[in-house]
Coordinates of all heavy atoms in Angstrom, one line a residue:
L6 N 3.7 -45.1 30.3 CA 4.6 -45.5 29.3 C 4.2 -44.7 28.0 O 3.2 -44.7 27.6 CB 4.5 -47.0 29.0 CG 4.9 -47.9 30.2 CD1 4.4 -49.4 30.0 CD2 6.3 -47.8 30.6
N7 N 5.2 -43.9 27.5 CA 5.0 -43.1 26.3 C 4.9 -44.0 25.0 O 5.5 -45.0 24.9 CB 6.1 -42.2 26.1 CG 6.1 -41.0 27.3 OD1 5.1 -40.8 27.8 ND2 7.3 -40.7 27.6
C8 N 4.0 -43.5 24.2 CA 3.9 -43.9 22.8 C 3.3 -42.9 21.9 O 2.3 -42.2 22.4 CB 3.0 -45.2 22.9 SG 2.6 -45.9 21.1
S9 N 3.8 -42.7 20.7 CA 3.2 -41.7 19.8 C 3.4 -42.3 18.3 O 4.5 -42.8 18.0 CB 3.8 -40.4 20.0 OG 5.2 -40.4 19.8
A10 N 2.4 -42.2 17.6 CA 2.4 -42.5 16.1 C 1.5 -41.6 15.4 O 0.4 -41.2 15.8 CB 2.0 -44.0 15.9
Y11 N 2.0 -41.1 14.2 CA 1.2 -40.1 13.5 C 1.1 -40.5 12.1 O 2.0 -41.1 11.4 CB 2.0 -38.9 13.4 CG 2.2 -38.3 14.8 CD1 3.5 -38.5 15.4 CD2 1.3 -37.6 15.6 CE1 3.8 -38.0 16.7 CE2 1.6 -37.2 16.8 CZ 2.8 -37.4 17.4 OH 3.0 -36.9 18.7
S12 N -0.2 -40.6 11.5 CA -0.4 -40.7 10.1 C -1.8 -40.3 9.8 O -2.6 -39.8 10.6 CB -0.4 -42.3 9.8 OG -1.5 -42.9 10.3
E13 N -2.1 -40.2 8.4 CA -3.5 -39.8 8.0 C -3.9 -41.1 7.3 O -3.4 -41.6 6.3 CB -3.4 -38.6 7.1 CG -3.2 -37.4 7.8 CD -4.5 -37.0 8.8 OE1 -5.5 -37.4 8.5 OE2 -4.2 -36.4 9.8
P14 N -5.0 -41.7 7.7 CA -5.8 -41.4 8.9 C -5.1 -41.8 10.2 O -3.9 -42.5 10.2 CB -7.0 -42.4 8.7 CG -6.5 -43.6 8.0 CD -5.5 -42.9 7.0
S15 N -5.5 -41.3 11.4 CA -4.9 -41.5 12.6 C -4.9 -43.0 13.0 O -5.7 -43.8 12.6 CB -5.7 -40.9 13.8 OG -5.7 -39.6 13.5
P16 N -3.7 -43.5 13.4 CA -3.6 -44.9 13.8 C -4.4 -45.4 15.1 O -4.6 -44.5 15.9 CB -2.1 -45.0 14.1 CG -1.6 -43.7 14.5 CD -2.6 -42.7 13.8
K17 N -4.8 -46.6 15.1 CA -5.3 -47.1 16.3 C -4.2 -47.6 17.2 O -3.3 -48.3 16.7 CB -6.3 -48.3 16.1 CG -6.8 -49.1 17.2 CD -7.5 -50.3 16.6 CE -8.0 -51.1 17.9 NZ -8.7 -52.4 17.4
I18 N -4.2 -47.2 18.4 CA -3.1 -47.5 19.3 C -3.5 -48.5 20.4 O -4.7 -48.3 21.0 CB -2.6 -46.2 20.2 CG1 -2.2 -45.1 19.1 CG2 -1.5 -46.6 21.2 CD1 -0.9 -45.5 18.4
E19 N -2.8 -49.6 20.6 CA -3.1 -50.7 21.6 C -1.9 -50.9 22.2 O -0.7 -50.6 21.9 CB -3.7 -51.9 20.8 CG -5.0 -51.7 20.2 CD -5.3 -53.0 19.3 OE1 -4.7 -53.2 18.3 OE2 -6.2 -53.7 19.8
W20 N -2.0 -51.6 23.5 CA -0.8 -52.0 24.2 C -0.8 -53.5 24.4 O -1.9 -54.2 24.7 CB -0.8 -51.4 25.5 CG -0.3 -49.9 25.4 CD1 -1.0 -48.9 25.1 CD2 1.0 -49.5 25.5 NE1 -0.3 -47.7 25.1 CE2 1.1 -48.0 25.4 CE3 2.3 -50.2 25.9 CZ2 2.2 -47.4 25.4 CZ3 3.4 -49.4 25.9 CH2 3.4 -48.0 25.7
K21 N 0.4 -54.1 24.4 CA 0.6 -55.5 24.7 C 1.5 -55.6 26.0 O 2.3 -54.8 26.2 CB 1.3 -56.3 23.6 CG 0.7 -56.6 22.4 CD 1.6 -57.4 21.5 CE 0.7 -58.0 20.3 NZ 1.6 -58.9 19.5
K22 N 1.1 -56.5 26.8 CA 1.9 -56.8 28.1 C 2.2 -58.3 28.0 O 1.3 -59.2 27.8 CB 1.1 -56.6 29.3 CG 1.8 -56.9 30.6 CD 1.1 -56.8 31.8 CE 1.9 -57.2 33.2 NZ 2.0 -58.7 33.2
D23 N 3.5 -58.6 28.0 CA 4.0 -60.0 27.9 C 3.5 -60.7 26.7 O 3.0 -62.0 26.6 CB 3.7 -60.8 29.1 CG 4.3 -60.2 30.3 OD1 5.4 -59.7 30.3 OD2 3.8 -60.3 31.5
G24 N 3.2 -60.0 25.5 CA 2.9 -60.6 24.2 C 1.4 -60.7 24.1 O 0.9 -61.1 23.0
T25 N 0.5 -60.2 25.0 CA -0.9 -60.3 24.9 C -1.5 -58.9 25.0 O -1.1 -58.2 25.8 CB -1.5 -61.1 26.2 OG1 -0.8 -62.5 26.2 CG2 -3.1 -61.3 25.9
F26 N -2.4 -58.7 24.1 CA -3.1 -57.3 24.1 C -3.9 -57.1 25.4 O -4.5 -58.1 26.0 CB -4.1 -57.2 23.0 CG -3.4 -56.9 21.6 CD1 -3.2 -57.9 20.7 CD2 -2.9 -55.7 21.2 CE1 -2.7 -57.7 19.6 CE2 -2.2 -55.4 20.1 CZ -2.1 -56.5 19.2
L27 N -3.7 -55.9 25.9 CA -4.4 -55.5 27.1 C -5.8 -55.0 26.8 O -6.0 -54.4 25.9 CB -3.7 -54.3 27.9 CG -2.3 -54.5 28.4 CD1 -1.7 -53.3 28.9 CD2 -2.6 -55.6 29.6
N28 N -6.9 -55.4 27.5 CA -8.1 -55.0 27.4 C -8.4 -53.8 28.4 O -8.7 -54.0 29.6 CB -9.2 -56.1 27.8 CG -10.6 -55.7 27.6 OD1 -10.9 -54.6 27.2 ND2 -11.5 -56.6 28.0
L29 N -8.0 -52.5 27.9 CA -8.1 -51.4 28.6 C -9.6 -50.8 28.8 O -9.8 -50.0 29.8 CB -7.3 -50.4 28.0 CG -5.7 -50.7 27.9 CD1 -5.1 -49.6 27.1 CD2 -5.2 -50.9 29.2
V30 N -10.6 -51.5 28.1 CA -12.0 -51.0 28.3 C -12.3 -51.2 29.6 O -13.2 -50.5 30.4 CB -12.9 -51.6 27.3 CG1 -14.3 -51.3 27.4 CG2 -12.4 -51.1 25.8
S31 N -12.2 -52.4 30.1 CA -12.5 -52.9 31.5 C -11.6 -52.8 32.6 O -11.8 -53.4 33.6 CB -13.2 -54.3 31.4 OG -12.1 -55.2 31.0
D32 N -10.6 -52.1 32.4 CA -9.4 -52.0 33.3 C -9.6 -50.6 34.1 O -9.5 -49.6 33.5 CB -8.1 -52.0 32.5 CG -6.9 -52.3 33.4 OD1 -7.0 -51.8 34.7 OD2 -6.0 -53.0 33.1
D33 N -9.7 -50.8 35.4 CA -10.0 -49.5 36.3 C -8.7 -48.9 36.6 O -8.7 -47.8 37.3 CB -10.9 -49.8 37.4 CG -10.4 -50.9 38.3 OD1 -9.5 -51.5 37.9 OD2 -10.8 -50.9 39.4
R34 N -7.5 -49.5 36.3 CA -6.2 -49.0 36.9 C -5.4 -48.6 35.7 O -4.6 -47.7 35.8 CB -5.4 -50.2 37.6 CG -6.0 -50.5 38.8 CD -5.2 -51.5 39.7 NE -4.8 -52.6 38.9 CZ -3.5 -52.7 38.4 NH1 -2.6 -52.0 38.6 NH2 -3.1 -53.8 37.8
R35 N -5.5 -49.1 34.6 CA -4.7 -48.7 33.4 C -5.7 -48.1 32.4 O -6.8 -48.4 32.0 CB -4.0 -50.0 32.8 CG -3.1 -50.6 33.8 CD -2.4 -51.8 33.2 NE -3.2 -52.9 33.4 CZ -2.9 -54.1 33.5 NH1 -1.5 -54.4 33.4 NH2 -3.6 -55.1 33.6
Q36 N -5.2 -47.0 31.8 CA -5.9 -46.5 30.6 C -5.0 -45.9 29.4 O -3.8 -45.6 29.7 CB -6.6 -45.2 31.3 CG -5.9 -44.1 31.8 CD -6.9 -43.0 32.4 OE1 -7.8 -42.7 31.8 NE2 -6.5 -42.5 33.6
L37 N -5.6 -45.9 28.3 CA -5.0 -45.2 27.2 C -5.2 -43.8 27.1 O -6.4 -43.4 27.1 CB -5.6 -46.0 25.9 CG -4.9 -45.6 24.5 CD1 -3.4 -46.1 24.5 CD2 -5.6 -46.1 23.5
L38 N -4.0 -43.0 27.1 CA -4.2 -41.5 27.1 C -4.4 -41.0 25.6 O -4.2 -41.9 24.7 CB -3.0 -40.9 27.7 CG -2.7 -41.2 29.2 CD1 -1.5 -40.5 29.6 CD2 -3.8 -40.9 30.1
S39 N -4.8 -40.0 25.5 CA -5.2 -39.3 24.1 C -4.0 -39.3 23.1 O -4.1 -39.4 22.0 CB -5.9 -38.0 24.2 OG -4.8 -37.1 24.8
D40 N -2.8 -39.2 23.7 CA -1.6 -39.3 22.9 C -1.0 -40.6 22.5 O 0.0 -40.9 22.0 CB -0.5 -38.5 23.5 CG 0.1 -39.0 24.9 OD1 -0.4 -40.0 25.3 OD2 1.2 -38.5 25.3
G41 N -1.8 -41.7 23.1 CA -1.4 -43.2 22.9 C -0.6 -43.8 24.0 O -0.2 -45.0 23.9
S42 N -0.1 -43.0 25.0 CA 0.6 -43.4 26.1 C -0.3 -44.3 27.0 O -1.5 -44.1 27.0 CB 1.2 -42.3 26.9 OG 2.0 -41.6 25.9
L43 N 0.3 -45.2 27.8 CA -0.4 -46.0 28.8 C 0.0 -45.5 30.1 O 1.0 -45.3 30.6 CB 0.2 -47.5 28.6 CG -0.5 -48.5 29.7 CD1 -2.0 -48.7 29.4 CD2 0.4 -49.8 29.7
F44 N -1.2 -45.2 30.8 CA -1.1 -44.8 32.3 C -1.6 -45.7 33.2 O -2.7 -46.3 33.0 CB -1.9 -43.5 32.3 CG -2.0 -42.9 33.7 CD1 -0.8 -42.3 34.2 CD2 -3.1 -42.7 34.4 CE1 -0.8 -41.7 35.5 CE2 -3.1 -42.3 35.8 CZ -2.0 -41.7 36.3
I45 N -0.8 -46.1 34.2 CA -1.1 -46.9 35.2 C -1.4 -46.1 36.6 O -0.5 -45.5 37.2 CB -0.1 -48.1 35.6 CG1 0.2 -48.8 34.3 CG2 -0.6 -48.9 36.6 CD1 1.4 -49.8 34.3
S46 N -2.6 -45.9 37.0 CA -3.0 -45.0 38.0 C -2.6 -45.5 39.5 O -2.4 -44.8 40.4 CB -4.4 -44.7 38.0 OG -5.3 -45.8 38.2
N47 N -2.7 -46.9 39.6 CA -2.5 -47.5 40.9 C -1.6 -48.8 40.7 O -2.3 -49.9 40.4 CB -3.8 -47.7 41.5 CG -3.6 -48.3 43.0 OD1 -2.6 -48.2 43.6 ND2 -4.7 -49.0 43.4
V48 N -0.4 -48.7 40.9 CA 0.4 -49.9 40.6 C 0.1 -51.0 41.7 O 0.2 -50.6 42.9 CB 2.0 -49.5 40.6 CG1 2.7 -50.8 40.6 CG2 2.1 -48.6 39.4
V49 N -0.1 -52.2 41.5 CA -0.2 -53.3 42.4 C 1.1 -54.1 42.4 O 1.6 -54.5 41.4 CB -1.4 -54.2 41.9 CG1 -1.6 -55.4 42.9 CG2 -2.8 -53.4 42.0
H50 N 1.6 -54.2 43.7 CA 2.8 -54.9 43.9 C 2.8 -55.4 45.2 O 2.8 -54.8 46.2 CB 4.0 -54.0 43.6 CG 5.4 -54.8 43.7 ND1 5.7 -55.3 42.5 CD2 6.3 -54.8 44.5 CE1 6.9 -55.9 42.8 NE2 7.3 -55.5 44.0
S51 N 2.9 -56.8 45.3 CA 3.2 -57.4 46.7 C 4.2 -58.6 46.4 O 4.6 -59.0 45.2 CB 1.9 -57.9 47.3 OG 1.3 -58.9 46.5
K52 N 4.5 -59.3 47.5 CA 5.4 -60.4 47.4 C 5.0 -61.4 46.4 O 5.7 -62.1 45.6 CB 5.6 -61.0 48.8 CG 6.6 -62.1 48.8 CD 6.9 -62.7 50.2 CE 8.0 -63.8 50.2 NZ 8.2 -64.2 51.6
H53 N 3.6 -61.7 46.4 CA 3.1 -62.7 45.6 C 2.2 -62.3 44.4 O 1.7 -63.0 43.8 CB 2.2 -63.9 46.4 CG 3.2 -64.5 47.5 ND1 4.2 -65.3 47.2 CD2 3.2 -64.3 48.8 CE1 4.8 -65.8 48.3 NE2 4.1 -65.1 49.4
N54 N 2.0 -61.0 44.3 CA 1.1 -60.5 43.3 C 1.7 -59.2 42.6 O 1.9 -58.3 43.1 CB -0.2 -60.1 43.8 CG -1.3 -59.7 42.8 OD1 -1.2 -60.1 41.7 ND2 -2.2 -58.9 43.2
K55 N 2.2 -59.5 41.3 CA 2.9 -58.4 40.7 C 2.4 -58.3 39.3 O 3.1 -58.4 38.3 CB 4.4 -58.7 40.6 CG 5.1 -58.9 42.0 CD 6.6 -59.3 41.8 CE 7.2 -59.5 43.3 NZ 8.5 -60.0 43.3
P56 N 1.0 -58.0 39.1 CA 0.4 -57.9 37.8 C 0.9 -56.8 36.9 O 0.7 -56.9 35.7 CB -1.0 -57.7 38.1 CG -1.0 -57.0 39.5 CD 0.1 -57.6 40.2
D57 N 1.5 -55.9 37.3 CA 1.9 -54.8 36.5 C 3.3 -54.9 36.0 O 3.6 -54.3 34.9 CB 1.9 -53.3 37.2 CG 0.3 -53.2 37.5 OD1 -0.5 -53.4 36.7 OD2 0.2 -52.5 38.7
E58 N 4.2 -55.7 36.5 CA 5.5 -56.0 36.2 C 5.4 -56.9 34.9 O 4.6 -57.7 34.7 CB 6.4 -56.8 37.2 CG 6.8 -55.9 38.3 CD 7.9 -56.6 39.1 OE1 8.1 -57.8 39.1 OE2 8.5 -55.8 39.8
G59 N 6.3 -56.6 33.9 CA 6.3 -57.3 32.7 C 6.9 -56.5 31.6 O 7.6 -55.5 31.8
Y60 N 6.7 -57.0 30.4 CA 7.2 -56.4 29.2 C 6.0 -55.8 28.3 O 5.1 -56.5 28.0 CB 8.0 -57.6 28.3 CG 9.2 -58.1 29.0 CD1 9.0 -59.1 29.8 CD2 10.4 -57.5 28.8 CE1 10.1 -59.7 30.6 CE2 11.5 -58.0 29.4 CZ 11.4 -59.1 30.4 OH 12.5 -59.5 30.9
Y61 N 6.1 -54.5 28.0 CA 5.2 -53.7 27.5 C 5.6 -53.4 25.9 O 6.8 -53.0 25.7 CB 4.8 -52.5 28.2 CG 4.0 -52.9 29.4 CD1 4.7 -53.2 30.6 CD2 2.7 -52.7 29.5 CE1 3.9 -53.6 31.8 CE2 2.0 -52.9 30.7 CZ 2.8 -53.4 31.8 OH 2.0 -53.6 33.0
Q62 N 4.7 -53.4 25.1 CA 4.8 -52.8 23.6 C 3.7 -52.1 23.2 O 2.5 -52.5 23.4 CB 5.0 -53.9 22.7 CG 6.3 -54.6 22.8 CD 6.6 -55.7 21.8 OE1 5.9 -56.8 21.7 NE2 7.5 -55.6 20.9
C63 N 3.8 -51.0 22.6 CA 2.8 -50.1 21.9 C 2.7 -50.7 20.6 O 3.7 -50.9 19.8 CB 3.4 -48.7 21.9 SG 2.3 -47.6 20.9
V64 N 1.5 -50.8 20.0 CA 1.2 -51.2 18.7 C 0.3 -50.3 18.2 O -0.8 -50.0 18.5 CB 0.3 -52.7 18.8 CG1 0.0 -53.2 17.3 CG2 1.2 -53.7 19.5
A65 N 0.8 -49.7 16.9 CA 0.0 -48.8 16.1 C -0.5 -49.4 14.8 O 0.4 -49.9 14.0 CB 0.8 -47.4 15.9
T66 N -1.7 -49.2 14.5 CA -2.2 -49.9 13.3 C -3.0 -48.8 12.6 O -3.9 -48.1 13.0 CB -3.2 -51.0 13.6 OG1 -2.5 -52.1 14.3 CG2 -3.7 -51.8 12.3
V67 N -2.8 -48.8 11.2 CA -3.5 -47.9 10.3 C -4.2 -49.0 9.3 O -3.5 -49.8 8.6 CB -2.7 -47.0 9.5 CG1 -3.4 -46.3 8.6 CG2 -2.0 -45.9 10.4
E68 N -5.6 -48.8 9.3 CA -6.3 -49.8 8.3 C -5.9 -49.7 6.9 O -5.6 -48.7 6.5 CB -7.8 -49.4 8.5 CG -8.8 -50.4 7.9 CD -8.9 -51.7 8.7 OE1 -8.7 -51.7 10.0 OE2 -9.1 -52.8 8.1
S69 N -5.6 -50.9 6.3 CA -5.3 -51.0 4.9 C -3.8 -50.6 4.7 O -3.3 -50.7 3.7 CB -6.2 -50.2 4.0 OG -5.8 -48.8 4.1
L70 N -3.0 -50.1 5.8 CA -1.6 -49.7 5.6 C -0.7 -50.7 6.3 O 0.3 -51.2 5.8 CB -1.4 -48.3 6.0 CG -1.8 -47.1 5.1 CD1 -1.4 -45.8 5.7 CD2 -1.2 -47.3 3.8
G71 N -1.0 -50.9 7.5 CA -0.2 -51.8 8.3 C -0.1 -51.6 9.8 O -0.8 -50.7 10.3
T72 N 0.9 -52.2 10.4 CA 1.0 -52.1 11.8 C 2.4 -52.0 12.2 O 3.3 -52.6 11.5 CB 0.5 -53.4 12.6 OG1 -0.9 -53.6 12.3 CG2 0.7 -53.5 14.1
I73 N 2.8 -51.2 13.2 CA 4.2 -51.0 13.6 C 4.1 -51.3 15.2 O 3.2 -50.9 15.9 CB 4.7 -49.6 13.3 CG1 6.3 -49.7 13.5 CG2 4.0 -48.6 13.9 CD1 7.1 -48.5 13.0
V74 N 5.2 -52.1 15.5 CA 5.1 -52.3 17.1 C 6.5 -51.7 17.6 O 7.6 -51.8 17.0 CB 5.3 -53.9 17.3 CG1 5.4 -54.3 18.8 CG2 4.1 -54.5 16.6
S75 N 6.4 -51.1 18.8 CA 7.6 -50.5 19.4 C 8.5 -51.6 20.0 O 8.3 -52.8 20.0 CB 7.0 -49.7 20.7 OG 6.7 -50.4 21.7
R76 N 9.7 -51.0 20.3 CA 10.6 -51.9 21.2 C 10.0 -52.2 22.5 O 8.9 -51.7 22.9 CB 11.9 -51.1 21.4 CG 12.7 -50.8 20.2 CD 13.9 -50.1 20.6 NE 13.7 -48.7 21.0 CZ 14.5 -47.9 21.6 NH1 15.7 -48.2 21.8 NH2 14.1 -46.8 22.0
T77 N 10.4 -53.3 23.0 CA 9.9 -53.9 24.3 C 10.4 -53.0 25.5 O 11.6 -52.7 25.5 CB 10.3 -55.3 24.5 OG1 9.7 -56.2 23.3 CG2 9.8 -55.8 25.7
A78 N 9.5 -52.6 26.4 CA 9.9 -51.8 27.5 C 9.7 -52.9 28.7 O 8.5 -53.3 28.9 CB 9.1 -50.7 27.7
K79 N 10.6 -53.0 29.6 CA 10.5 -53.9 30.8 C 10.2 -53.0 31.9 O 10.8 -52.0 32.2 CB 11.8 -54.6 31.0 CG 11.6 -55.5 32.3 CD 13.0 -56.3 32.5 CE 12.7 -57.1 33.8 NZ 14.0 -57.9 34.2
L80 N 9.0 -53.3 32.6 CA 8.6 -52.5 33.8 C 8.9 -53.4 35.0 O 8.3 -54.6 35.1 CB 7.1 -52.2 33.6 CG 6.4 -51.5 34.9 CD1 7.1 -50.1 35.1 CD2 5.0 -51.4 34.8
T81 N 9.7 -52.8 35.9 CA 10.0 -53.5 37.1 C 9.5 -52.6 38.3 O 9.9 -51.3 38.2 CB 11.4 -54.0 37.3 OG1 11.9 -54.7 36.1 CG2 11.8 -54.6 38.7
V82 N 8.9 -53.0 39.3 CA 8.4 -52.2 40.3 C 9.4 -52.3 41.5 O 9.8 -53.3 42.0 CB 7.0 -52.5 40.8 CG1 6.6 -51.6 42.1 CG2 6.1 -52.4 39.6
A83 N 9.9 -51.3 41.9 CA 10.9 -51.1 43.1 C 10.1 -51.1 44.4 O 9.0 -50.7 44.5 CB 11.8 -49.9 43.0
G84 N 10.7 -51.8 45.3 CA 10.1 -51.9 46.6 C 11.1 -51.8 47.8 O 12.2 -52.0 47.6
L85 N 10.5 -51.5 48.9 CA 11.5 -51.4 50.1 C 11.8 -52.8 50.5 O 10.9 -53.7 50.7 CB 10.8 -50.5 51.2 CG 10.6 -49.1 50.9 CD1 9.8 -48.5 52.0 CD2 11.9 -48.4 50.7
P86 N 13.0 -53.1 50.9 CA 13.4 -54.3 51.5 C 12.9 -54.5 52.8 O 12.7 -53.6 53.6 CB 14.9 -54.3 51.5 CG 15.3 -52.8 51.7 CD 14.3 -52.1 50.9
R87 N 12.5 -55.8 53.3 CA 12.1 -56.1 54.6 C 13.2 -55.8 55.6 O 14.4 -56.1 55.3 CB 11.7 -57.5 54.9 CG 10.4 -57.8 53.8 CD 9.7 -59.1 54.4 NE 8.6 -59.3 53.5 CZ 7.4 -58.8 53.9 NH1 7.1 -58.0 54.9 NH2 6.4 -59.2 53.2
F88 N 12.8 -55.2 56.8 CA 13.9 -55.1 57.8 C 13.2 -55.4 59.2 O 12.1 -55.5 59.4 CB 14.3 -53.6 57.7 CG 12.9 -52.6 58.1 CD1 12.8 -52.3 59.5 CD2 12.2 -52.2 57.1 CE1 11.8 -51.3 59.6 CE2 11.3 -51.3 57.3 CZ 10.9 -50.9 58.6
A89 N 14.2 -55.8 60.0 CA 13.7 -56.2 61.4 C 13.9 -55.0 62.3 O 14.8 -54.1 62.2 CB 14.7 -57.3 61.9
S90 N 12.9 -54.8 63.2 CA 12.8 -53.6 64.1 C 13.8 -53.9 65.3 O 14.1 -55.1 65.7 CB 11.5 -53.4 64.6 OG 10.9 -54.5 65.2

């Protein structure tokens, strides 16, 4: 998911999923790229477990200036329908 914000000093970029900040430090599947984008290396998706689906927002903060939040992006994972052999 792309995100970019520019200022002096450089902004701190964080990501929210479903309104809650993601803890990317201890996340082995999701990482913050140097340009501020969120990269999901291994999408998890099954009938009863869809942890990557949801609503994402990029949050850019500059100390003593303020915070700006991106529009909400909805992530839906496509899957193959079940079929009978």
Side-chain angles (χ1 to χ4, degrees):
L6 299 170
N7 292 329
C8 176
S9 60
Y11 304 97
S12 80
E13 284 296 329
S15 295
K17 175 184 177 185
I18 304 291
E19 298 175 285
W20 280 88
K21 283 185 173 185
K22 179 184 175 287
D23 299 328
T25 303
F26 282 102
L27 291 172
N28 181 2
L29 299 174
V30 174
S31 60
D32 195 323
D33 58 345
R34 295 184 309 104
R35 294 180 278 210
Q36 62 181 319
L37 183 65
L38 300 180
S39 61
D40 68 353
S42 298
L43 179 66
F44 177 69
I45 303 173
S46 62
N47 182 24
V48 174
V49 173
H50 186 79
S51 66
K52 185 176 180 180
H53 300 292
N54 186 25
K55 302 175 183 181
D57 295 324
E58 285 195 343
Y60 295 91
Y61 289 82
Q62 287 181 294
C63 173
V64 180
T66 302
V67 176
E68 191 72 30
S69 77
L70 284 180
T72 299
I73 189 167
V74 181
S75 72
R76 291 181 291 169
T77 302
K79 181 180 179 183
L80 177 66
T81 304
V82 179
L85 296 173
R87 296 203 176 269
F88 59 93
S90 54

